[in-house]
Amino acid sequence: MKDAPDLYARCVSDDTLDGSSRAKRLGAYYTDEVIATFLVSWAVRDANDTVLDPSFGGGVFLTAAARRLDTLGGTGREQVYGVEVDADVHRQISRELHARQGIAPQQLIYADFFDVAAGSAELPRFDAVIGNPPYIRYQHFSGAAKERALARVASYGVTLSRLSSSWAPFVVHSAMQLREGGRLAMVVPIELAHAAYARPVLEHLTHTFRHVSLLTFRRPLFPHLSQETVLLLADGKDEPFVSLDWRDVEGIDALAALPTPLPRCHTLDRHALASGRDRLTTRFVSPDAQQLYRTLSKTSLRLGDVANISTGYVTGANTFFHLSDDDVRTWRLPSDVLRRAVFRSRALRGLRFTADDWHEAAQGGRAGYLLSLDKRPLPEFDAQTQRYLRDGERSGAPRSYKCRRREYWYHVPRVYVPDAFLSYMSGSRPTLVSNDAGATAPNTLYLVELYGLAPLGQWTLTLLWHSSLCELSCELEGHALGDGMLKLEPAEAKRVLIPNVSADLRDLAGDVDRLLRNEQPDKARTLVDQAVLQDGLGLSARDCRLLYETAAQLRERRLYRRRMARAARRRPKQ
């Protein structure tokens, strides 16, 4: 096809593009040859199989497929096909694939994959579709590209949210390229198993294939990415569903030892997983811990039961809107145009974020002031504020994307003072503190607003947060990124379990606050577990220990991945 748009970032293959600034602008990351070889070995089983890579990038999957077919007695150069949307990549890699493998140029199509109909003259149905779909988050996956993608999968009866990232429709359209009995083998984000927007994809896969398997890894597949990935293996297109399986693997080095096809492993409940009632993370813990967590979930509150969780404000130009004490003194700005703000989660300590905490954080640049102006013409502000706004105009602040879309570029919307702050990215555990300083925060933090009839006050809520139940719930309801960080999306934060107790915990709160400020979180947790889980809910010491050790196990799994990722980044390239 002509005039294919250059739209997609991808995890491309092979080292042929290493150093290409264009590939880096596209978000290109390289698929290890071991991964490609494993996926090809699993999916290509007969000398007569035909193979498609719908986003062939550096060509590692097509190269491995051609070699595999030759080994089986087929003619690899005639049985592999590919699609590529980037003109420069297509031109370069097509030449190399023709020179190395003899693959005919007409089998390597330059096109937007969503413009290619399943079973078309250009691309007939295939026995195997293998590859690494492009990954663009929904914020950047937009315009005509998104419309084509969503319309294409809608024609198959699959309705995807507009919050979908690009890989989701790509996987669905890839599955439709297969003939009956065909196999799909792809590298996909772990979001397939937990993200709300991905549920229709998982549901479609389990209604389309006989067996679906997910392979997770204790060592990250792509150490340089903040995206955790899994391998998706789907077998038996258009055959009655039998199972959804999961297998946990140490790292890519262990793939070579796995048999192909894979034997059945841990079976998952496809309905529970696709509906969000269950999460893949729970399979990383013992059956006893799973049972205890399920039991407690029936009597506990969810954070969303007692509070609303939302992101903070977006200025569009933080260097202009965020001010230090020195900035305020220099410009002599009046107090009525300023609001206390906390900029970073590192400013949050203890159970409370106090005025003293705010002053201390402001000294280190983790907090300060927000210039908070209402909607009125610039000449109606006092002289000092006008002078600062004029300086902002000269520095280009009004030209930033967010600012230029506003009626008044200097009016930052959605600025309010919450009851508490919640960090949503953490290496150890998320932080929840009450907002005693009367501050606001940007979208680097979540703003927590207690409902008017909530049975918990903000002090009680922040204290309960330090129980082993909450720690484990954050690990199970949140999701790990590729670099080992734990992230809580707003919907995930709302699902975190909160012990449902009615005891007066004010005296305990002071002790817990002091321990946390003295960097003794384990002692603080022990106090909370004793008072809340044992005395309040009647759990045994063994139950508390199981909750704590399970949370620690999941946290260590994440941190292990983080150490592996950092080591890989430090390792010199060969």
Side-chain angles (χ1 to χ4, degrees), residues 209-262:
F209 292 91
R210 182 178 72 253
H211 294 291
V212 178
S213 293
L214 301 176
L215 270 64
T216 57
F217 294 83
R218 291 185 283 278
R219 294 185 182 183
L221 289 184
F222 296 95
H224 295 80
L225 283 177
S226 62
Q227 176 64 56
E228 186 173 0
T229 51
V230 301
L231 298 187
L232 165 65
L233 307 174
D235 189 6
K237 167 79 181 301
D238 293 334
E239 297 175 1
F241 176 78
V242 173
S243 69
L244 171 62
D245 298 336
W246 159 73
R247 180 184 300 269
D248 198 34
V249 181
E250 176 63 28
I252 61 173
D253 294 341
L255 289 175
L258 293 178
T260 54
L262 289 175

Side-chain angles (χ1 to χ4, degrees), residues 76-206:
R77 67 178 182 275
E78 298 176 1
Q79 295 168 239
V80 298
Y81 293 74
V83 180
E84 175 54 50
V85 70
D86 181 85
D88 292 345
V89 172
H90 178 271
R91 187 180 308 110
Q92 174 187 345
I93 303 304
S94 293
R95 285 198 300 262
E96 295 180 8
L97 288 172
H98 180 65
R100 291 199 310 254
Q101 305 296 138
I103 302 172
Q106 60 267 28
Q107 293 168 220
L108 303 172
I109 300 169
Y110 167 47
D112 179 342
F113 181 47
F114 294 108
D115 284 337
V116 182
S120 64
E122 289 176 295
L123 290 179
R125 302 283 183 178
F126 294 88
D127 298 290
V129 176
I130 307 168
N132 193 337
Y135 184 79
I136 308 175
R137 295 188 184 276
Y138 76 91
Q139 299 96 324
H140 306 292
F141 181 44
S142 58
K146 172 170 277 189
E147 296 304 323
R148 280 195 300 273
L150 297 184
R152 176 65 75 181
V153 299
S155 70
Y156 307 137
V158 180
T159 302
L160 293 181
S161 163
R162 301 195 67 80
L163 298 179
S164 298
S165 298
S166 60
W167 68 269
F170 207 91
V171 167
V172 174
H173 190 39
S174 295
M176 300 308 293
Q177 309 298 320
L178 292 165
R179 59 171 54 100
E180 184 175 350
R183 298 166 294 280
L184 181 70
M186 287 192 152
V187 183
V188 298
I190 200 170
E191 291 169 15
L192 173 65
H194 70 75
Y197 79 80
R199 289 172 190 167
V201 180
L202 186 60
E203 186 174 7
H204 177 72
L205 290 170
T206 57

Side-chain angles (χ1 to χ4, degrees), residues 12 27 62 71 91 99 107 124 174 187 205 245 250 340-341 343 346 356 365 389 445 474 500 528 530:
V12 297
L62 292 180
T71 300
R91 187 180 308 110
Q107 293 168 220
S174 295
V187 183
L205 290 170
D245 298 336
E250 176 63 28
R340 285 180 177 176
F343 305 147
R346 291 195 301 274
D356 288 343
L389 291 174
L445 291 167
C474 285
N500 191 0
V528 175
Q530 177 67 56

Side-chain angles (χ1 to χ4, degrees), residues 327-345:
D327 295 329
V328 171
R329 284 192 292 270
T330 298
W331 291 95
R332 292 183 293 164
L333 293 169
S335 60
D336 62 349
V337 301
L338 300 171
R339 290 205 190 190
R340 285 180 177 176
V342 52
F343 305 147
R344 298 177 179 85
S345 61

